Amino acid sequence: MNGSPGNQQVEQQLMLIGGDWVAARSGETLTVENPGRRQIIATVPRGSAIDVDLAVDRALAAFSSWRKTAPRERGRLLLSIASEIEAQHERLSRKIAEETGNALRTQARPEVKIAADIFRYFGGLASELKGETLPLSHDLLSFTQREPLGVVAAVIPWNAPFLLAAVKIAPALCAGNTMVMKTAEDAPLAVLALAKICAQFLPPGTLNMLSGTGLECGAPLLNHPLVAKLSFTGSTAVGRIVMEAAAKRILPVSLELGGKSPSIVFPDADDDWVIEGVVAAMRFTRQSQSCTAGSRLFIHRKLYDSVLEKLVEATSRLKVGDPLAEESDVGAIINERQFRKVCGYIEDGMKQSGSKLLTGGMPGDDASLAGGYYLKPTIFSQGTNDWRLAREEIFGPVLVAIPWDDEDEVIKMANDSHFGLAAYVWTHDIGKALRTARDIEAGWVQINQGGGQLPGHSYGGYKQSGLGREFSLAAMLDSFTQTKNVTINLTR
Ligand code: NAD
C-alpha cells in the first residue's frame, strides 16, 4: 500500500489538522484500492508521530473554548452536519462502496443514512448532559455535573467506516470534548469526506482527522500524553494493546471489539421471515465483514434440514458483484490479505471431519468476478461448536450451522465463546425468547430481527468483545463525560 501508484486518475487526499488540510510532514502517502476492481483510487497522507503531536496540540487548543460552548449550540452544529450528510448522501455512499467494496444499494446507502441519523440523534440530546441534586442532608446542597474529558483519541476500522466514525464523533463532540481520529488504512476516504463536512460547521481543531497505519499513526495517538480518553473499534488483538496504553496512564477507554455471535432458531420458527432474518443477521450483504455477524447458526434438529435448504436457496439468490452496480447485493472482500485469510478458513472447513459444504466455497471460475476479491456466501453444515470455524472470528461470509435438541444445551453452546457481542433468537414463544435473552452472555440481543444498530440502542460487548457502550444517551454520558460532585454547606 505504500508509495505512488503512478496513475493520473488517482485522487490525492489530505488530512485535517487544526482546520487545515495538510499532507503528512514526512511527505509520504498510502494508496487506497477499490477491492471490487483491484484498482488504486486514491492516495492519503501517511501520518506519523509528528502529525499526531500537531493534531493533539490543535485539539487541546480548541477544547478550552469548545467545552464552554453552550451544549444547545454544539447540538445545533451537529444537526447542521446531519443535514449536510443527507445533502451529500449519494456522493458519500459511492465513496464508501468504492473503497470498502460494500455494495452501494444494500450497504453503503443505508450506512450514510444511519450516520446522518446518529448526528441528528446526538444533536438533539445536547441538553441532556445534566447532573443530579442529591438529598444528603437539610443543610447540604449536593449536586453532580457532567464534564467533558478533553481530547479524545479515536481509532476506527474499515468495515463500516462512515458509521463507526459518526458514533464516536457525534457523542464525543456533543459532550464538549474535542477529537483526533485515525481512519483505517483501507477505507479513509469517506471518513475524510465526513471530516470535510464537519469542518464546515465546527471551530478549527474541534475535530482532527488523520490517515496512516496502526503502528506509525495509531500507536502514537493512543500513547500521546495529552489525550484524555481512548475510544477504539477494531480487533480484540489490537484492543488489548489499546487497553495496555490506557493502563499506563489510567485513562478511560472504550473498546468495541470482535464477535462470534450465535443465531438460535427454535423448533417453532418455521417461517420465511426467519430465513430472511438469519441472512440479515449474518450480514451476508456486507460479505459478513461485521462484528455482529450471526455466524454460528444453531438450528433445532426438528427444523435443521428444512431451514438449511431454504437458507441455501435464499443465499443463492444474492447477487455477488461490483459494489457500485445497482444490481449487486453482495460486494467484495476488503483486500487481498483478508481474502486469503477467509479462503484459508473455507479450506479448513472443507477438511474438517464431518463437515458438509452446502453452498459457496472457494472462489470459482466465474469470469465476471475475476477482477476483485469476491467470495460467495458459504455455509457449512453438521458443525460443532468446537470447530475452529465456530470459535474464531472469520470476518468473511462463512456460516457454520450447528444442530441442537435441548434449550439448556443450546444456551451453553452459545455462551461457550470468549466473545459476547450480539445474539439473535428466532421463535414465536415469548417465554423461550425472553429466557434466552436473559441467559445469553452478549451485550446486544435481538429477537425475531436481524438488522443493525439504531440510534438509541445501548450497544457494546460482554467478555472479550469490548468495554463500554456506544449509540445511546447513556453511552454518551458514560463514555465521553466525567462526573463531578459539588457539595455546599449551607450553614456557613
Ligand atoms: P484492526 O484491529 O486490525 O484495526 C483497527 C484500527 O486499529 C485500524 O485503524 C488500524 O490501523 C489500527 N491499529 C492497528 N494496530 C494498531 C496499533 N498497534 N496501535 C494503534 N492502532 C492500531 O481491525 P480491522 O481489521 O481494521 O477491523 C476488523 C475488526 O474490527 C474485527 O475484529 C471486528 O469485529 C472489529 N469491529 C468491531 C466493531 C464493534 O462495534 N464491536 C465494529 C466494527 C469492527
Side-chain angles (χ1 to χ4, degrees):
M1 289 226 303
N2 310 335
S4 161
N7 180 336
Q8 305 231 308
Q9 314 239 312
V10 168
E11 60 174 283
Q12 293 175 347
Q13 289 292 342
L14 298 171
M15 317 185 279
L16 177 64
I17 299 182
D20 298 323
W21 289 91
V22 297
R25 278 288 181 87
S26 67
E28 286 191 53
T29 57
L30 298 171
T31 55
V32 184
E33 188 186 41
N34 170 342
R37 300 181 184 172
R38 297 190 205 185
Q39 280 170 359
I40 288 164
I41 51 174
T43 65
V44 292
R46 185 172 182 149
S48 63
I50 190 166
D51 305 297
V52 168
D53 285 347
L54 186 61
V56 174
D57 181 70
R58 295 295 187 267
L60 202 55
F63 178 61
S64 57
S65 54
W66 181 246
R67 69 173 306 177
K68 293 179 197 150
T69 305
R72 254 190 341 277
E73 172 61 9
R74 296 198 299 255
R76 192 186 65 75
L77 297 174
L78 296 180
L79 295 174
S80 303
I81 292 170
S83 299
E84 188 56 29
I85 293 171
E86 281 157 357
Q88 298 191 30
H89 179 266
E90 187 61 16
R91 190 179 80 83
L92 295 166
S93 305
R94 296 189 82 80
K95 241 183 216 306
I96 294 173
E98 240 191 331
E99 65 180 333
T100 61
N102 292 344
L104 180 63
R105 176 175 51 80
T106 60
Q107 290 299 318
R109 287 190 188 123
E111 184 180 339
V112 175
K113 182 179 177 312
I114 187 148
D117 288 349
I118 288 285
F119 274 94
R120 208 167 280 295
Y121 170 78
F122 284 108
L125 284 179
S127 297
E128 296 301 314
L129 290 153
K130 57 195 182 197
E132 298 168 323
T133 50
L134 307 163
L136 295 186
S137 96
H138 185 66
D139 288 328
L140 291 180
L141 172 60
S142 187
F143 63 91
T144 60
Q145 60 192 38
R146 295 279 182 173
E147 296 183 351
L149 294 149
V151 177
V152 175
V155 174
I156 55 167
W158 44 263
N159 60 323
F162 199 81
L163 174 59
L164 296 174
V167 294
K168 295 194 190 301
I169 296 169
L173 269 48
C174 182
N177 304 282
T178 56
M179 179 175 273
V180 180
M181 176 175 274
K182 188 193 87 67
T183 53
E185 296 87 320
D186 289 293
L189 302 178
V191 180
L192 286 166
L194 173 61
K196 192 165 264 177
I197 292 174
C198 293
Q200 279 177 40
F201 300 97
L202 300 173
T206 311
L207 174 68
N208 304 272
M209 191 62 72
L210 304 178
S211 50
T213 68
L215 284 179
E216 293 167 358
C217 188
L221 174 57
L222 297 172
N223 287 292
H224 196 287
L226 297 178
V227 303
K229 155 91 194 184
L230 309 184
S231 180
F232 174 77
T233 301
S235 62
T236 296
V238 178
R240 243 177 234 119
I241 298 172
V242 178
M243 200 152 169
E244 280 166 17
K248 276 187 209 136
R249 297 181 39 235
I250 321 288
L251 287 187
V253 57
S254 302
L255 303 172
E256 294 288 354
L257 309 177
K260 191 74 195 177
S261 300
S263 193
I264 305 175
V265 180
F266 278 79
D268 65 295
D270 194 6
D271 301 274
D272 290 344
W273 57 261
V274 172
I275 304 301
E276 279 170 36
V278 166
V279 170
M282 179 50 188
R283 316 278 187 256
F284 271 133
T285 57
R286 206 197 300 157
Q287 304 76 257
S288 306
Q289 297 174 137
S290 164
C291 47
T292 54
S295 54
R296 287 185 297 150
L297 178 60
F298 295 101
I299 312 170
H300 192 272
R301 207 176 293 278
K302 185 172 151 230
L303 291 182
Y304 192 75
D305 291 336
S306 73
V307 164
L308 283 177
E309 193 179 317
K310 289 186 212 161
L311 196 57
V312 167
E313 216 263 308
T315 52
S316 63
R317 279 198 306 268
L318 295 174
K319 180 158 173 33
V320 181
D322 189 335
L324 289 161
E326 286 297 332
E327 64 273 19
S328 296
D329 297 301
V330 180
I333 301 288
I334 186 75
N335 59 31
E336 186 173 0
R337 188 172 55 86
Q338 191 64 18
F339 178 76
R340 287 187 190 286
K341 187 175 153 202
V342 180
C343 288
Y345 278 104
I346 296 173
E347 278 172 342
D348 196 80
M350 288 161 72
K351 281 190 230 140
Q352 181 79 44
S353 134
S355 82
K356 199 164 158 200
L357 176 66
L358 296 184
T359 187
M362 294 297 281
D365 45 14
D366 184 343
S368 71
L369 299 182
Y373 305 114
Y374 295 102
L375 285 172
K376 294 197 168 148
T378 294
I379 303 176
F380 284 101
S381 80
Q382 303 307 333
T384 59
N385 203 40
D386 58 2
W387 281 11
R388 178 171 162 250
L389 268 64
R391 304 208 68 78
E392 296 179 10
E393 183 182 46
I394 298 175
F395 226 59
V398 183
L399 180 71
V400 177
I402 301 170
W404 62 277
D405 298 290
D406 173 70
E407 200 177 309
D408 289 342
E409 172 207 10
V410 77
I411 301 275
K412 202 167 158 211
M413 285 195 288
N415 287 340
D416 180 16
S417 167
H418 58 282
F419 293 116
L421 192 54
Y424 306 88
V425 183
W426 310 96
T427 180
H428 295 270
D429 184 322
I430 187 93
K432 284 182 177 145
L434 293 180
R435 277 199 302 278
T436 308
R438 179 197 62 197
D439 293 339
I440 214 96
E441 293 165 359
W444 186 44
V445 182
Q446 297 201 76
I447 298 168
N448 296 334
Q449 65 167 15
Q453 304 89 323
L454 296 171
H457 272 149
S458 203
Y459 168 75
Y462 279 20
K463 303 196 261 187
Q464 293 185 27
S465 286
L467 271 184
R469 294 293 175 266
E470 288 189 328
F471 278 91
S472 61
L473 169 61
M476 171 170 77
L477 297 176
D478 288 351
S479 297
F480 294 115
T481 70
Q482 52 194 341
T483 302
K484 179 179 283 171
N485 177 274
V486 180
T487 302
I488 306 125
N489 186 332
L490 299 177
T491 66
R492 301 285 183 257

